[in-house]
Amino acid sequence: DETPRVPAALAERFALPSPALLWAAVGVVRPPRGAALLGAARSGAETTARWRAGDDVFEYRAQGGVLRQLRRLRGGGVLETVEVDSQDGRPGRVVYRDWVELRTLTLTPENLTDVPAFPEDTWTPPGTGR
């Protein structure tokens, strides 16, 4: 539902990146809900697509059909980026940067395993009112 659910004690300690940036960290292009496509362009093997959501522009760059970068822009400046180094079309090392807070998080997978999807009730547990 594009809304992270975090225990209150943890939510007060830090802010999570937007869901669009979290999805990009695993190689998925998923603009924010309600975002308007501004346009897409191709240059050689690279494709760039831009969506507007409120005051933010989400700029996705893919090469050969594989997501390489997401930038969240506002007012001409870069707020956050996700850089994805892919291995055989699967996400490899991922670097998230918050350029405003000057924070960097690097994720390096140790192994990748294909598994079946979780049952739908995993995402909407009974009794959550959703």
Side-chain angles (χ1 to χ4, degrees):
D1 198 23
E2 300 297 321
T3 305
R5 291 181 288 276
V6 179
L10 292 177
E12 295 172 2
R13 292 175 50 196
F14 61 89
L16 289 173
S18 78
L21 281 109
L22 294 172
W23 279 113
V26 294
V28 175
V29 174
R30 187 168 181 169
R33 178 173 288 144
L37 179 64
L38 296 175
R42 187 171 192 153
S43 176
E46 183 174 278
T47 301
T48 302
R50 297 167 54 103
W51 276 268
R52 176 173 302 284
D55 292 335
D56 295 341
V57 172
F58 290 79
E59 180 182 85
Y60 293 86
R61 292 184 181 176
Q63 191 166 23
V66 177
L67 182 65
R68 299 286 186 203
Q69 181 187 66
L70 168 58
R71 299 186 323 156
R72 184 169 71 94
L73 311 162
R74 183 182 299 155
V78 179
L79 300 177
E80 297 174 287
T81 58
V82 173
E83 303 276 344
V84 181
D85 291 330
S86 298
Q87 301 168 357
D88 300 323
R90 299 170 76 176
R93 181 174 174 262
V94 175
V95 178
Y96 163 78
R97 288 189 175 92
D98 181 329
W99 294 97
V100 176
E101 297 293 327
L102 301 174
R103 288 187 277 209
T104 300
L105 173 65
T106 301
L107 304 170
T108 306
E110 293 181 4
N111 60 56
L112 298 170
T113 305
D114 288 323
V115 297
F118 289 111
E120 186 58 35
D121 65 354
T122 300
W123 307 110
T124 309
T128 61
R130 301 182 94 121

